[in-house]
Short mmCIF file of all heavy atoms in Angstrom, two decimals:
data_model
loop_
_atom_site.label_atom_id
_atom_site.label_comp_id
_atom_site.label_asym_id
_atom_site.label_seq_id
_atom_site.Cartn_x
_atom_site.Cartn_y
_atom_site.Cartn_z
N MET A 1458 43.53 15.70 40.88
CA MET A 1458 43.00 15.70 39.54
C MET A 1458 42.27 14.42 39.17
O MET A 1458 41.97 14.26 38.00
CB MET A 1458 44.15 15.90 38.57
CG MET A 1458 44.59 17.29 38.48
SD MET A 1458 44.45 17.65 36.82
CE MET A 1458 45.61 18.85 36.59
N PRO A 1459 41.95 13.56 40.08
CA PRO A 1459 41.20 12.37 39.72
C PRO A 1459 39.81 12.71 39.22
O PRO A 1459 39.23 11.98 38.44
CB PRO A 1459 41.16 11.55 40.99
CG PRO A 1459 41.81 12.32 42.05
CD PRO A 1459 42.35 13.57 41.46
N ASP A 1460 39.27 13.86 39.67
CA ASP A 1460 37.96 14.26 39.18
C ASP A 1460 37.97 14.59 37.70
O ASP A 1460 37.01 14.34 36.98
CB ASP A 1460 37.45 15.48 39.97
CG ASP A 1460 37.04 15.12 41.38
OD1 ASP A 1460 36.70 13.94 41.59
OD2 ASP A 1460 37.05 16.00 42.24
N MET A 1461 39.04 15.16 37.24
CA MET A 1461 39.14 15.54 35.84
C MET A 1461 39.15 14.32 34.93
O MET A 1461 38.47 14.29 33.92
CB MET A 1461 40.42 16.36 35.65
CG MET A 1461 40.38 17.28 34.48
SD MET A 1461 38.94 18.30 34.52
CE MET A 1461 39.56 19.57 33.53
N SER A 1462 39.89 13.29 35.31
CA SER A 1462 39.91 12.09 34.48
C SER A 1462 38.58 11.34 34.57
O SER A 1462 38.14 10.73 33.60
CB SER A 1462 41.07 11.18 34.87
OG SER A 1462 40.86 10.65 36.15
N ALA A 1463 37.94 11.42 35.73
CA ALA A 1463 36.64 10.78 35.88
C ALA A 1463 35.60 11.48 35.03
O ALA A 1463 34.78 10.84 34.36
CB ALA A 1463 36.21 10.76 37.33
N SER A 1464 35.62 12.81 35.03
CA SER A 1464 34.66 13.54 34.21
C SER A 1464 34.97 13.37 32.72
O SER A 1464 34.06 13.30 31.90
CB SER A 1464 34.63 15.02 34.59
OG SER A 1464 35.89 15.61 34.33
N ALA A 1465 36.25 13.29 32.37
CA ALA A 1465 36.62 13.04 30.98
C ALA A 1465 36.16 11.65 30.55
O ALA A 1465 35.66 11.46 29.45
CB ALA A 1465 38.13 13.21 30.80
N SER A 1466 36.33 10.69 31.47
CA SER A 1466 35.89 9.33 31.18
C SER A 1466 34.37 9.28 31.02
O SER A 1466 33.85 8.60 30.12
CB SER A 1466 36.34 8.40 32.29
OG SER A 1466 35.80 7.13 32.10
N LEU A 1467 33.66 10.02 31.86
CA LEU A 1467 32.21 10.08 31.78
C LEU A 1467 31.76 10.73 30.47
O LEU A 1467 30.83 10.26 29.82
CB LEU A 1467 31.65 10.85 32.99
CG LEU A 1467 30.14 10.89 33.12
CD1 LEU A 1467 29.59 9.48 33.30
CD2 LEU A 1467 29.74 11.76 34.29
N ALA A 1468 32.46 11.78 30.07
CA ALA A 1468 32.14 12.46 28.81
C ALA A 1468 32.37 11.54 27.62
O ALA A 1468 31.56 11.49 26.68
CB ALA A 1468 32.97 13.73 28.67
N MET A 1469 33.46 10.80 27.65
CA MET A 1469 33.73 9.86 26.55
C MET A 1469 32.69 8.74 26.52
O MET A 1469 32.29 8.30 25.45
CB MET A 1469 35.14 9.27 26.71
CG MET A 1469 36.26 10.26 26.42
SD MET A 1469 36.13 10.97 24.77
CE MET A 1469 36.57 9.58 23.78
N THR A 1470 32.23 8.31 27.68
CA THR A 1470 31.19 7.28 27.73
C THR A 1470 29.91 7.78 27.09
O THR A 1470 29.25 7.06 26.33
CB THR A 1470 30.92 6.85 29.19
OG1 THR A 1470 32.15 6.44 29.78
CG2 THR A 1470 29.93 5.73 29.25
N HIS A 1471 29.57 9.05 27.36
CA HIS A 1471 28.38 9.62 26.74
C HIS A 1471 28.54 9.76 25.24
O HIS A 1471 27.60 9.52 24.49
CB HIS A 1471 28.04 10.97 27.38
CG HIS A 1471 27.42 10.86 28.72
ND1 HIS A 1471 26.19 10.31 28.93
CD2 HIS A 1471 27.87 11.23 29.96
CE1 HIS A 1471 25.89 10.34 30.21
NE2 HIS A 1471 26.91 10.89 30.87
N LEU A 1472 29.72 10.16 24.77
CA LEU A 1472 29.95 10.29 23.33
C LEU A 1472 29.88 8.94 22.64
O LEU A 1472 29.33 8.82 21.55
CB LEU A 1472 31.30 10.95 23.08
CG LEU A 1472 31.38 12.44 23.38
CD1 LEU A 1472 32.79 12.93 23.18
CD2 LEU A 1472 30.41 13.22 22.51
N VAL A 1473 30.43 7.91 23.28
CA VAL A 1473 30.38 6.58 22.69
C VAL A 1473 28.95 6.07 22.63
O VAL A 1473 28.52 5.47 21.65
CB VAL A 1473 31.30 5.60 23.47
CG1 VAL A 1473 31.07 4.17 23.02
CG2 VAL A 1473 32.75 5.99 23.28
N SER A 1474 28.16 6.36 23.69
CA SER A 1474 26.77 5.90 23.68
C SER A 1474 25.95 6.62 22.62
O SER A 1474 24.99 6.07 22.10
CB SER A 1474 26.15 6.07 25.07
OG SER A 1474 26.00 7.45 25.37
N LEU A 1475 26.33 7.85 22.26
CA LEU A 1475 25.62 8.55 21.18
C LEU A 1475 25.94 7.93 19.83
O LEU A 1475 25.14 7.97 18.91
CB LEU A 1475 26.00 10.03 21.18
CG LEU A 1475 25.46 10.86 22.34
CD1 LEU A 1475 26.02 12.28 22.27
CD2 LEU A 1475 23.95 10.89 22.32
N ALA A 1476 27.13 7.36 19.69
CA ALA A 1476 27.54 6.77 18.42
C ALA A 1476 26.88 5.42 18.20
O ALA A 1476 26.75 4.97 17.07
CB ALA A 1476 29.05 6.64 18.37
N GLU A 1477 26.47 4.74 19.27
CA GLU A 1477 25.83 3.45 19.12
C GLU A 1477 24.43 3.61 18.56
O GLU A 1477 23.76 4.61 18.79
CB GLU A 1477 25.77 2.74 20.47
CG GLU A 1477 27.14 2.35 21.00
CD GLU A 1477 27.05 1.72 22.38
OE1 GLU A 1477 25.92 1.50 22.87
OE2 GLU A 1477 28.11 1.47 22.95
N VAL A 1478 23.98 2.61 17.83
CA VAL A 1478 22.66 2.66 17.21
C VAL A 1478 21.65 2.02 18.15
O VAL A 1478 21.83 0.87 18.56
CB VAL A 1478 22.67 1.93 15.85
CG1 VAL A 1478 21.28 1.90 15.26
CG2 VAL A 1478 23.64 2.60 14.91
N ASP A 1479 20.63 2.76 18.48
CA ASP A 1479 19.55 2.21 19.30
C ASP A 1479 18.59 1.50 18.36
O ASP A 1479 17.98 2.12 17.50
CB ASP A 1479 18.85 3.34 20.06
CG ASP A 1479 17.78 2.81 21.01
OD1 ASP A 1479 17.69 1.58 21.18
OD2 ASP A 1479 17.05 3.64 21.58
N GLU A 1480 18.44 0.19 18.52
CA GLU A 1480 17.62 -0.58 17.59
C GLU A 1480 16.14 -0.23 17.68
O GLU A 1480 15.38 -0.56 16.78
CB GLU A 1480 17.83 -2.07 17.84
CG GLU A 1480 19.23 -2.50 17.47
CD GLU A 1480 19.37 -4.00 17.41
OE1 GLU A 1480 18.34 -4.68 17.34
OE2 GLU A 1480 20.50 -4.47 17.43
N ASN A 1481 15.71 0.43 18.74
CA ASN A 1481 14.32 0.84 18.85
C ASN A 1481 14.05 2.14 18.11
O ASN A 1481 12.90 2.53 17.96
CB ASN A 1481 13.94 1.01 20.33
CG ASN A 1481 13.98 -0.31 21.07
OD1 ASN A 1481 13.68 -1.34 20.49
ND2 ASN A 1481 14.36 -0.26 22.32
N LYS A 1482 15.10 2.82 17.66
CA LYS A 1482 14.92 4.11 17.00
C LYS A 1482 15.43 4.11 15.57
O LYS A 1482 15.61 5.16 14.98
CB LYS A 1482 15.65 5.20 17.80
CG LYS A 1482 15.05 5.43 19.16
CD LYS A 1482 15.77 6.54 19.87
CE LYS A 1482 15.18 6.76 21.25
NZ LYS A 1482 15.87 7.82 21.98
N VAL A 1483 15.66 2.97 14.99
CA VAL A 1483 16.17 2.90 13.63
C VAL A 1483 15.05 3.23 12.66
O VAL A 1483 13.93 2.74 12.79
CB VAL A 1483 16.75 1.50 13.34
CG1 VAL A 1483 17.17 1.37 11.88
CG2 VAL A 1483 17.94 1.23 14.24
N THR A 1484 15.33 4.09 11.69
CA THR A 1484 14.33 4.47 10.69
C THR A 1484 14.70 3.85 9.34
O THR A 1484 15.85 3.46 9.14
CB THR A 1484 14.27 6.00 10.55
OG1 THR A 1484 15.55 6.46 10.10
CG2 THR A 1484 13.93 6.65 11.87
N PRO A 1485 13.75 3.77 8.41
CA PRO A 1485 14.04 3.16 7.12
C PRO A 1485 15.05 3.95 6.30
O PRO A 1485 15.73 3.40 5.46
CB PRO A 1485 12.70 3.11 6.41
CG PRO A 1485 11.70 3.65 7.32
CD PRO A 1485 12.35 4.09 8.57
N GLY A 1486 15.11 5.25 6.49
CA GLY A 1486 16.11 6.06 5.80
C GLY A 1486 15.74 6.34 4.36
O GLY A 1486 14.59 6.20 3.92
N VAL A 1487 16.74 6.74 3.60
CA VAL A 1487 16.55 7.15 2.21
C VAL A 1487 16.14 5.97 1.34
O VAL A 1487 15.26 6.10 0.49
CB VAL A 1487 17.83 7.82 1.67
CG1 VAL A 1487 17.68 8.18 0.21
CG2 VAL A 1487 18.17 9.06 2.48
N LEU A 1488 16.77 4.83 1.55
CA LEU A 1488 16.43 3.65 0.74
C LEU A 1488 14.97 3.25 0.95
O LEU A 1488 14.27 2.93 -0.02
CB LEU A 1488 17.35 2.48 1.09
CG LEU A 1488 17.09 1.19 0.32
CD1 LEU A 1488 17.33 1.42 -1.17
CD2 LEU A 1488 17.96 0.08 0.83
N GLY A 1489 14.51 3.30 2.18
CA GLY A 1489 13.11 2.98 2.45
C GLY A 1489 12.16 3.95 1.76
O GLY A 1489 11.14 3.56 1.22
N PHE A 1490 12.52 5.24 1.76
CA PHE A 1490 11.69 6.23 1.08
C PHE A 1490 11.67 5.98 -0.43
O PHE A 1490 10.62 6.07 -1.07
CB PHE A 1490 12.19 7.65 1.36
CG PHE A 1490 11.48 8.69 0.57
CD1 PHE A 1490 10.20 9.08 0.91
CD2 PHE A 1490 12.07 9.26 -0.54
CE1 PHE A 1490 9.51 10.02 0.17
CE2 PHE A 1490 11.40 10.22 -1.28
CZ PHE A 1490 10.13 10.60 -0.93
N ILE A 1491 12.83 5.67 -0.99
CA ILE A 1491 12.90 5.43 -2.44
C ILE A 1491 12.06 4.22 -2.83
O ILE A 1491 11.30 4.27 -3.82
CB ILE A 1491 14.37 5.25 -2.88
CG1 ILE A 1491 15.11 6.60 -2.76
CG2 ILE A 1491 14.46 4.73 -4.30
CD1 ILE A 1491 16.60 6.51 -2.96
N VAL A 1492 12.13 3.15 -2.05
CA VAL A 1492 11.33 1.95 -2.34
C VAL A 1492 9.84 2.27 -2.21
O VAL A 1492 9.03 1.89 -3.07
CB VAL A 1492 11.73 0.79 -1.40
CG1 VAL A 1492 10.76 -0.36 -1.49
CG2 VAL A 1492 13.14 0.33 -1.71
N PHE A 1493 9.46 3.00 -1.15
CA PHE A 1493 8.06 3.36 -0.95
C PHE A 1493 7.55 4.26 -2.08
O PHE A 1493 6.44 4.08 -2.59
CB PHE A 1493 7.89 4.06 0.39
CG PHE A 1493 6.48 4.33 0.76
CD1 PHE A 1493 5.65 3.32 1.21
CD2 PHE A 1493 5.96 5.62 0.65
CE1 PHE A 1493 4.33 3.58 1.55
CE2 PHE A 1493 4.65 5.88 0.98
CZ PHE A 1493 3.84 4.86 1.43
N ALA A 1494 8.37 5.23 -2.50
CA ALA A 1494 7.98 6.12 -3.59
C ALA A 1494 7.84 5.34 -4.91
O ALA A 1494 6.92 5.59 -5.69
CB ALA A 1494 9.00 7.25 -3.74
N ALA A 1495 8.75 4.40 -5.15
CA ALA A 1495 8.67 3.59 -6.37
C ALA A 1495 7.41 2.73 -6.38
O ALA A 1495 6.74 2.59 -7.42
CB ALA A 1495 9.91 2.70 -6.50
N MET A 1496 7.06 2.17 -5.23
CA MET A 1496 5.83 1.38 -5.16
C MET A 1496 4.61 2.28 -5.38
O MET A 1496 3.66 1.87 -6.05
CB MET A 1496 5.74 0.67 -3.81
CG MET A 1496 6.69 -0.47 -3.69
SD MET A 1496 6.78 -1.33 -2.10
CE MET A 1496 5.26 -1.04 -1.32
N GLY A 1497 4.63 3.48 -4.84
CA GLY A 1497 3.52 4.41 -5.06
C GLY A 1497 3.38 4.78 -6.53
O GLY A 1497 2.27 4.83 -7.06
N LEU A 1498 4.50 5.05 -7.20
CA LEU A 1498 4.46 5.36 -8.63
C LEU A 1498 3.96 4.17 -9.44
O LEU A 1498 3.21 4.34 -10.42
CB LEU A 1498 5.83 5.79 -9.11
CG LEU A 1498 6.26 7.20 -8.71
CD1 LEU A 1498 7.72 7.43 -9.09
CD2 LEU A 1498 5.37 8.24 -9.35
N ALA A 1499 4.36 2.97 -9.06
CA ALA A 1499 3.90 1.77 -9.77
C ALA A 1499 2.40 1.59 -9.62
O ALA A 1499 1.70 1.28 -10.60
CB ALA A 1499 4.65 0.54 -9.25
N VAL A 1500 1.87 1.80 -8.43
CA VAL A 1500 0.42 1.68 -8.21
C VAL A 1500 -0.31 2.75 -9.01
O VAL A 1500 -1.34 2.47 -9.64
CB VAL A 1500 0.08 1.78 -6.71
CG1 VAL A 1500 -1.41 1.94 -6.49
CG2 VAL A 1500 0.59 0.55 -5.99
N TRP A 1501 0.22 3.97 -9.02
CA TRP A 1501 -0.41 5.05 -9.79
C TRP A 1501 -0.44 4.69 -11.28
O TRP A 1501 -1.47 4.87 -11.95
CB TRP A 1501 0.35 6.36 -9.57
CG TRP A 1501 -0.16 7.49 -10.38
CD1 TRP A 1501 -1.27 8.23 -10.16
CD2 TRP A 1501 0.42 7.99 -11.59
NE1 TRP A 1501 -1.40 9.17 -11.15
CE2 TRP A 1501 -0.38 9.05 -12.04
CE3 TRP A 1501 1.56 7.64 -12.32
CZ2 TRP A 1501 -0.09 9.76 -13.18
CZ3 TRP A 1501 1.85 8.36 -13.46
CH2 TRP A 1501 1.03 9.40 -13.87
N ALA A 1502 0.68 4.18 -11.80
CA ALA A 1502 0.73 3.81 -13.22
C ALA A 1502 -0.23 2.66 -13.53
O ALA A 1502 -0.91 2.67 -14.58
CB ALA A 1502 2.16 3.43 -13.61
N LEU A 1503 -0.32 1.69 -12.65
CA LEU A 1503 -1.25 0.58 -12.87
C LEU A 1503 -2.70 1.04 -12.83
O LEU A 1503 -3.52 0.58 -13.63
CB LEU A 1503 -1.01 -0.52 -11.83
CG LEU A 1503 0.25 -1.36 -12.03
CD1 LEU A 1503 0.49 -2.23 -10.82
CD2 LEU A 1503 0.13 -2.19 -13.28
N MET A 1504 -3.03 1.94 -11.92
CA MET A 1504 -4.40 2.45 -11.86
C MET A 1504 -4.75 3.26 -13.11
O MET A 1504 -5.85 3.16 -13.65
CB MET A 1504 -4.59 3.32 -10.61
CG MET A 1504 -4.51 2.54 -9.32
SD MET A 1504 -5.85 1.39 -9.10
CE MET A 1504 -7.19 2.50 -8.78
N LYS A 1505 -3.79 4.04 -13.58
CA LYS A 1505 -4.02 4.82 -14.80
C LYS A 1505 -4.23 3.90 -16.00
O LYS A 1505 -5.13 4.12 -16.82
CB LYS A 1505 -2.82 5.75 -15.03
CG LYS A 1505 -3.04 6.75 -16.11
CD LYS A 1505 -1.92 7.78 -16.14
CE LYS A 1505 -2.20 8.75 -17.25
NZ LYS A 1505 -1.27 9.85 -17.27
N SER A 1506 -3.41 2.84 -16.08
CA SER A 1506 -3.55 1.87 -17.17
C SER A 1506 -4.89 1.14 -17.07
O SER A 1506 -5.55 0.91 -18.09
CB SER A 1506 -2.40 0.88 -17.12
OG SER A 1506 -2.58 -0.13 -18.07
N MET A 1507 -5.29 0.77 -15.85
CA MET A 1507 -6.56 0.07 -15.67
C MET A 1507 -7.72 0.95 -16.11
O MET A 1507 -8.65 0.49 -16.79
CB MET A 1507 -6.74 -0.34 -14.23
CG MET A 1507 -8.01 -1.15 -14.00
SD MET A 1507 -8.39 -1.42 -12.27
CE MET A 1507 -8.86 0.22 -11.77
N ASN A 1508 -7.69 2.23 -15.74
CA ASN A 1508 -8.76 3.14 -16.14
C ASN A 1508 -8.82 3.27 -17.66
O ASN A 1508 -9.90 3.33 -18.24
CB ASN A 1508 -8.57 4.51 -15.50
CG ASN A 1508 -9.00 4.53 -14.06
OD1 ASN A 1508 -9.83 3.73 -13.65
ND2 ASN A 1508 -8.42 5.42 -13.30
N ARG A 1509 -7.66 3.31 -18.31
CA ARG A 1509 -7.63 3.41 -19.76
C ARG A 1509 -8.23 2.16 -20.40
O ARG A 1509 -9.02 2.24 -21.34
CB ARG A 1509 -6.19 3.62 -20.22
CG ARG A 1509 -6.09 4.03 -21.67
CD ARG A 1509 -4.67 4.38 -22.11
NE ARG A 1509 -3.79 4.76 -21.03
CZ ARG A 1509 -2.62 4.14 -20.77
NH1 ARG A 1509 -2.24 3.12 -21.49
NH2 ARG A 1509 -1.86 4.54 -19.78
N HIS A 1510 -7.88 0.99 -19.88
CA HIS A 1510 -8.40 -0.25 -20.44
C HIS A 1510 -9.89 -0.44 -20.13
O HIS A 1510 -10.63 -0.96 -20.97
CB HIS A 1510 -7.60 -1.45 -19.92
CG HIS A 1510 -6.28 -1.61 -20.59
ND1 HIS A 1510 -5.15 -0.97 -20.17
CD2 HIS A 1510 -5.92 -2.34 -21.67
CE1 HIS A 1510 -4.14 -1.29 -20.95
NE2 HIS A 1510 -4.59 -2.11 -21.88
N MET A 1511 -10.32 -0.04 -18.95
CA MET A 1511 -11.74 -0.16 -18.62
C MET A 1511 -12.58 0.80 -19.46
O MET A 1511 -13.74 0.51 -19.75
CB MET A 1511 -11.97 0.12 -17.13
CG MET A 1511 -11.38 -0.95 -16.22
SD MET A 1511 -12.08 -2.58 -16.47
CE MET A 1511 -13.66 -2.37 -15.69
N GLY A 1512 -12.00 1.90 -19.87
CA GLY A 1512 -12.72 2.84 -20.73
C GLY A 1512 -12.97 2.26 -22.11
O GLY A 1512 -13.91 2.65 -22.79
N LYS A 1513 -12.12 1.34 -22.55
CA LYS A 1513 -12.28 0.73 -23.87
C LYS A 1513 -13.34 -0.37 -23.89
O LYS A 1513 -13.79 -0.78 -24.95
CB LYS A 1513 -10.95 0.12 -24.32
CG LYS A 1513 -9.88 1.14 -24.62
CD LYS A 1513 -8.61 0.45 -25.04
CE LYS A 1513 -7.50 1.45 -25.28
NZ LYS A 1513 -6.24 0.77 -25.65
N VAL A 1514 -13.74 -0.85 -22.72
CA VAL A 1514 -14.70 -1.95 -22.64
C VAL A 1514 -16.08 -1.43 -23.01
O VAL A 1514 -16.55 -0.43 -22.47
CB VAL A 1514 -14.72 -2.57 -21.23
CG1 VAL A 1514 -15.83 -3.59 -21.10
CG2 VAL A 1514 -13.39 -3.20 -20.91
N ASP A 1515 -16.73 -2.11 -23.96
CA ASP A 1515 -18.08 -1.75 -24.37
C ASP A 1515 -18.96 -2.97 -24.12
O ASP A 1515 -19.10 -3.84 -24.99
CB ASP A 1515 -18.09 -1.35 -25.84
CG ASP A 1515 -19.45 -0.82 -26.27
OD1 ASP A 1515 -20.19 -0.33 -25.40
OD2 ASP A 1515 -19.75 -0.91 -27.47
N PHE A 1516 -19.53 -3.05 -22.94
CA PHE A 1516 -20.30 -4.23 -22.55
C PHE A 1516 -21.78 -3.91 -22.63
O PHE A 1516 -22.27 -3.01 -21.95
CB PHE A 1516 -19.93 -4.66 -21.13
CG PHE A 1516 -20.73 -5.83 -20.64
CD1 PHE A 1516 -20.47 -7.11 -21.10
CD2 PHE A 1516 -21.75 -5.65 -19.72
CE1 PHE A 1516 -21.21 -8.19 -20.66
CE2 PHE A 1516 -22.49 -6.73 -19.27
CZ PHE A 1516 -22.21 -8.00 -19.75
N LYS A 1517 -22.47 -4.63 -23.47
CA LYS A 1517 -23.93 -4.50 -23.56
C LYS A 1517 -24.50 -5.89 -23.32
O LYS A 1517 -24.21 -6.83 -24.06
CB LYS A 1517 -24.35 -3.98 -24.92
CG LYS A 1517 -23.91 -2.54 -25.14
CD LYS A 1517 -24.36 -2.03 -26.48
CE LYS A 1517 -23.86 -0.61 -26.65
NZ LYS A 1517 -24.10 -0.10 -27.99
N GLU A 1518 -25.32 -6.01 -22.30
CA GLU A 1518 -25.90 -7.30 -21.95
C GLU A 1518 -27.00 -7.65 -22.93
O GLU A 1518 -27.89 -6.83 -23.22
CB GLU A 1518 -26.45 -7.26 -20.53
CG GLU A 1518 -26.89 -8.60 -20.03
CD GLU A 1518 -27.25 -8.57 -18.56
OE1 GLU A 1518 -26.95 -7.58 -17.89
OE2 GLU A 1518 -27.86 -9.54 -18.11
N ALA A 1519 -26.97 -8.87 -23.43
CA ALA A 1519 -28.01 -9.34 -24.34
C ALA A 1519 -29.27 -9.62 -23.52
O ALA A 1519 -29.20 -10.10 -22.39
CB ALA A 1519 -27.56 -10.61 -25.05
N PRO A 1520 -30.42 -9.30 -24.07
CA PRO A 1520 -31.66 -9.57 -23.34
C PRO A 1520 -31.85 -11.07 -23.14
O PRO A 1520 -31.49 -11.88 -23.98
CB PRO A 1520 -32.75 -8.98 -24.22
CG PRO A 1520 -32.13 -8.83 -25.56
CD PRO A 1520 -30.66 -8.69 -25.36
N ASP A 1521 -32.42 -11.43 -22.01
CA ASP A 1521 -32.66 -12.83 -21.67
C ASP A 1521 -33.87 -13.32 -22.46
O ASP A 1521 -34.97 -12.78 -22.33
CB ASP A 1521 -32.91 -12.95 -20.17
CG ASP A 1521 -32.95 -14.39 -19.70
OD1 ASP A 1521 -32.60 -15.29 -20.51
OD2 ASP A 1521 -33.31 -14.62 -18.54
N PRO A 1522 -33.69 -14.35 -23.29
CA PRO A 1522 -34.83 -14.83 -24.09
C PRO A 1522 -35.95 -15.43 -23.23
O PRO A 1522 -37.11 -15.40 -23.61
CB PRO A 1522 -34.23 -15.89 -25.01
CG PRO A 1522 -32.90 -16.23 -24.42
CD PRO A 1522 -32.47 -15.08 -23.57
N LYS A 1523 -35.64 -15.95 -22.06
CA LYS A 1523 -36.68 -16.52 -21.19
C LYS A 1523 -37.56 -15.42 -20.60
O LYS A 1523 -38.74 -15.66 -20.36
CB LYS A 1523 -36.03 -17.30 -20.04
CG LYS A 1523 -35.30 -18.54 -20.48
CD LYS A 1523 -34.72 -19.26 -19.28
CE LYS A 1523 -33.93 -20.47 -19.71
NZ LYS A 1523 -33.30 -21.13 -18.56
N ALA A 1524 -37.02 -14.25 -20.38
CA ALA A 1524 -37.80 -13.17 -19.78
C ALA A 1524 -38.87 -12.67 -20.75
O ALA A 1524 -39.95 -12.27 -20.33
CB ALA A 1524 -36.88 -12.01 -19.39
N GLU A 1525 -38.61 -12.72 -22.03
CA GLU A 1525 -39.59 -12.24 -23.01
C GLU A 1525 -40.72 -13.25 -23.21
O GLU A 1525 -41.83 -12.87 -23.52
CB GLU A 1525 -38.90 -12.00 -24.36
CG GLU A 1525 -37.93 -10.83 -24.30
CD GLU A 1525 -37.17 -10.67 -25.61
OE1 GLU A 1525 -37.43 -11.43 -26.56
OE2 GLU A 1525 -36.31 -9.78 -25.66
N SER A 1526 -40.46 -14.55 -23.03
CA SER A 1526 -41.49 -15.55 -23.30
C SER A 1526 -42.44 -15.74 -22.12
O SER A 1526 -43.36 -16.53 -22.21
CB SER A 1526 -40.82 -16.89 -23.65
OG SER A 1526 -40.12 -17.37 -22.52
N GLY A 1527 -42.20 -15.06 -21.00
CA GLY A 1527 -43.09 -15.17 -19.86
C GLY A 1527 -42.70 -16.28 -18.91
O GLY A 1527 -43.37 -16.51 -17.92
N ALA A 1528 -41.65 -17.02 -19.21
CA ALA A 1528 -41.20 -18.08 -18.32
C ALA A 1528 -40.56 -17.44 -17.08
O ALA A 1528 -40.01 -16.36 -17.16
CB ALA A 1528 -40.19 -18.97 -19.03
N PRO A 1529 -40.63 -18.12 -15.93
CA PRO A 1529 -40.02 -17.55 -14.73
C PRO A 1529 -38.50 -17.46 -14.87
O PRO A 1529 -37.87 -18.32 -15.48
CB PRO A 1529 -40.41 -18.52 -13.61
CG PRO A 1529 -40.83 -19.76 -14.29
CD PRO A 1529 -41.29 -19.37 -15.66
N SER A 1530 -37.97 -16.42 -14.31
CA SER A 1530 -36.52 -16.23 -14.39
C SER A 1530 -35.83 -17.13 -13.37
O SER A 1530 -36.48 -17.78 -12.56
CB SER A 1530 -36.17 -14.77 -14.13
OG SER A 1530 -36.53 -14.43 -12.81
N GLY A 1531 -34.53 -17.14 -13.37
CA GLY A 1531 -33.77 -17.99 -12.47
C GLY A 1531 -33.67 -17.43 -11.06
O GLY A 1531 -33.08 -18.04 -10.19
N ASP A 1532 -34.27 -16.27 -10.79
CA ASP A 1532 -34.18 -15.66 -9.47
C ASP A 1532 -35.12 -16.42 -8.52
O ASP A 1532 -36.33 -16.45 -8.73
CB ASP A 1532 -34.57 -14.19 -9.56
CG ASP A 1532 -34.29 -13.44 -8.27
OD1 ASP A 1532 -33.70 -14.04 -7.36
OD2 ASP A 1532 -34.66 -12.26 -8.18
N PRO A 1533 -34.61 -17.05 -7.46
CA PRO A 1533 -35.47 -17.83 -6.57
C PRO A 1533 -36.46 -16.97 -5.80
O PRO A 1533 -37.48 -17.47 -5.34
CB PRO A 1533 -34.49 -18.53 -5.62
CG PRO A 1533 -33.21 -17.78 -5.73
CD PRO A 1533 -33.21 -17.11 -7.08
N LYS A 1534 -36.23 -15.69 -5.65
CA LYS A 1534 -37.15 -14.84 -4.92
C LYS A 1534 -38.45 -14.59 -5.72
O LYS A 1534 -39.51 -14.47 -5.15
CB LYS A 1534 -36.50 -13.49 -4.60
CG LYS A 1534 -35.35 -13.62 -3.62
CD LYS A 1534 -34.72 -12.28 -3.35
CE LYS A 1534 -33.53 -12.43 -2.42
NZ LYS A 1534 -32.83 -11.17 -2.23
N THR A 1535 -38.34 -14.54 -7.04
CA THR A 1535 -39.51 -14.30 -7.87
C THR A 1535 -40.16 -15.59 -8.34
O THR A 1535 -41.29 -15.59 -8.80
CB THR A 1535 -39.15 -13.44 -9.09
OG1 THR A 1535 -38.16 -14.13 -9.85
CG2 THR A 1535 -38.61 -12.10 -8.67
N HIS A 1536 -39.48 -16.69 -8.23
CA HIS A 1536 -40.02 -17.96 -8.69
C HIS A 1536 -40.94 -18.56 -7.61
O HIS A 1536 -40.56 -18.71 -6.47
CB HIS A 1536 -38.86 -18.95 -8.97
CG HIS A 1536 -39.31 -20.27 -9.48
ND1 HIS A 1536 -39.89 -20.40 -10.71
CD2 HIS A 1536 -39.27 -21.51 -8.93
CE1 HIS A 1536 -40.17 -21.68 -10.92
NE2 HIS A 1536 -39.81 -22.36 -9.84
N GLN A 1537 -42.14 -18.89 -8.02
CA GLN A 1537 -43.10 -19.49 -7.07
C GLN A 1537 -43.40 -20.89 -7.55
O GLN A 1537 -43.78 -21.11 -8.68
CB GLN A 1537 -44.39 -18.67 -7.04
CG GLN A 1537 -44.17 -17.27 -6.52
CD GLN A 1537 -45.45 -16.45 -6.59
OE1 GLN A 1537 -46.49 -16.96 -6.96
NE2 GLN A 1537 -45.34 -15.17 -6.27
N GLY A 1538 -43.26 -21.84 -6.65
CA GLY A 1538 -43.58 -23.17 -7.11
C GLY A 1538 -42.93 -24.23 -6.40
O GLY A 1538 -42.33 -24.73 -5.71
#
């Protein structure tokens, strides 16, 4: 019966190795998902708030007084001299 105890010992070794955690296969789990989902919701809320605030902005550029008087503008590509 030495084979029986050897096979039982081998079976127990396999069961123990299944219980050990392989560090190459560890996943983030439920806590990782909850943190990732919370970050996603926070980004969504911030984007929604940003869109709401950007919609309130009423920006109208004042005309450049130099452009009306015929003086050269500050653009170096159009300025000759």
